[in-house]
Structure formats: structure tokens, C-alpha cells
Amino acid sequence: MLAKEIAADLVLIDDWRARRFARWEGLSIVGCVGMLEDLYEQGYLSDLRGTYRQLVQTTVRIDLDTLRHSLAKFKLLPLEDDPLQAAPHKTL
């Protein structure tokens, strides 16, 4: 596994099976939502909600409940309140 070979501090993984394996291997992991949250907290990303809205409108597969939880964590409006959001209740 490359991450172990290069002694990576953190591995970006979204797939749940790969995450489980990486944890079993003792690797520190973060998913794309966690990474975006960190960027938002550090001030590198100014519009977390808009970024999530853009993700949902692409072919990226992402769990909307994870996005809802993330937005609530930062006290941001949920995606459902956005009239531009086309598919608020399905996982893409």
C-alpha cells in the first residue's frame, strides 16, 4: 500500500470499504467532506454550502445526509432550502 510505503500523514479516501481497510492498516484518513470542512474552518474556502451544491450537481457520488450534517455543524442553511438545488433527497 503506497500510503504506508511513503509514510503518509493522512490519506484522502471516500469509499467506505477502503476507509475501513486503511483504518485497519493504522492510517489516518479523511474524506472529501472532511477536507472541505477543514478548508472552510481555516478560511481557504469561503462558501462551503455553495461548494456542496456544486458537488451535488455533478456526477460525484456523495451522501446528502453527510452534507446536511456538515452544514448543520457550521450552522449553515441546508441544501433543501436552496431553490436552485435540483435533487435534494437522493444520493448521487
Side-chain angles (χ1 to χ4, degrees):
M1 176 180 222
L2 180 62
K4 286 186 84 166
E5 288 178 28
I6 64 170
D9 293 327
L10 190 64
V11 182
L12 176 63
I13 304 175
D14 282 318
D15 179 78
W16 70 270
R17 288 182 183 156
R19 290 173 75 105
R20 187 172 59 193
F21 179 74
R23 279 192 203 104
W24 183 77
E25 287 288 326
L27 297 168
S28 297
I29 60 167
V30 68
C32 71
V33 172
M35 181 185 64
L36 291 171
E37 287 179 343
D38 287 346
L39 291 170
Y40 181 73
E41 285 178 315
Q42 295 173 24
Y44 294 108
L45 180 64
S46 61
D47 186 7
L48 185 62
R49 188 170 175 267
T51 300
Y52 288 170
R53 190 175 67 217
Q54 288 176 352
L55 274 175
V56 169
Q57 293 173 347
T58 68
T59 58
V60 171
R61 294 186 60 163
I62 193 156
D63 181 60
L64 293 179
D65 285 336
T66 300
L67 299 183
R68 288 182 191 111
H69 177 73
S70 175
L71 290 170
K73 174 180 165 181
F74 293 104
K75 298 180 177 27
L76 299 172
L77 292 174
L79 294 175
E80 293 86 4
D81 293 346
D82 187 344
L84 299 176
Q85 179 55 45
H89 294 291
K90 71 178 194 178
T91 301
L92 300 175

